[in-house]
Amino acid sequence: MSKFELFKGTNGQYYFRLKAENGEIIAHSEGYTSKQGAQNGIAAVKRCAPIAPVVDLT
């Protein structure tokens, strides 16, 4: 099952990444100054991703 991982970087900022079932990272966040900010980012991805359009910029 895919999962979000929430972690604190060596720079003191909070990040999250989304990992696929095979363990590969498929998305990585920007740095957040607070844990709550990173948790809000996860919530936004969960809420918005199912309806986000794909824009082909190739």
Side-chain angles (χ1 to χ4, degrees), residues 1 17 19 31 34 43 50 52-53:
M1 178 185 293
R17 57 186 163 227
K19 283 192 165 183
S34 70

Side-chain angles (χ1 to χ4, degrees), residues 6 16 32 34-47:
L6 176 62
F16 67 86
Y32 293 88
S34 70
K35 186 175 182 178
Q36 185 62 53
Q39 290 170 324
N40 291 344
I42 292 170
V45 171
K46 287 181 172 183
R47 184 177 61 252

Side-chain angles (χ1 to χ4, degrees), residues 45-58:
V45 171
K46 287 181 172 183
R47 184 177 61 252
C48 299
I51 59 171
V54 175
V55 179
D56 186 349
L57 301 176
T58 58

